[in-house]
Amino acid sequence: CGLTRAIGRLLRGDWIGSVTVHPFAPAFVLVIALCAFAMLLPGPRRIGMAAAIEKFKRSSAICTMGLFL
């Protein structure tokens, strides 16, 4: 899969090659890193982070745009 190859290149430091293979690989890695970070947070902070993400999601059309990509 192109995303897997792009993430592999990204983790090896080949940013240009990664974006060439799959343009959304850096964004995907960022989301995965944020999810991993959120799992390590204490309960109240995790809830606050989830609320902030929900607020961002509602105020932007990011989910809708994802359906068309």
Side-chain angles (χ1 to χ4, degrees):
C1 157
L3 184 58
T4 303
R5 287 184 285 132
I7 290 173
R9 287 183 180 202
L10 186 65
L11 295 177
R12 286 190 299 271
D14 183 12
W15 285 79
I16 294 172
S18 173
V19 173
T20 302
V21 174
H22 198 291
F24 292 112
F28 188 78
V29 169
L30 179 65
V31 168
I32 295 300
L34 284 173
C35 288
F37 176 73
M39 289 187 332
L40 299 174
L41 290 174
R45 292 199 185 256
R46 187 173 43 239
I47 292 169
M49 185 175 181
I53 291 170
E54 180 68 25
K55 183 178 178 182
F56 171 74
K57 187 180 82 169
R58 288 177 189 258
S59 67
S60 68
I62 198 92
C63 292
T64 305
M65 290 184 326
L67 292 173
F68 297 105
L69 297 177

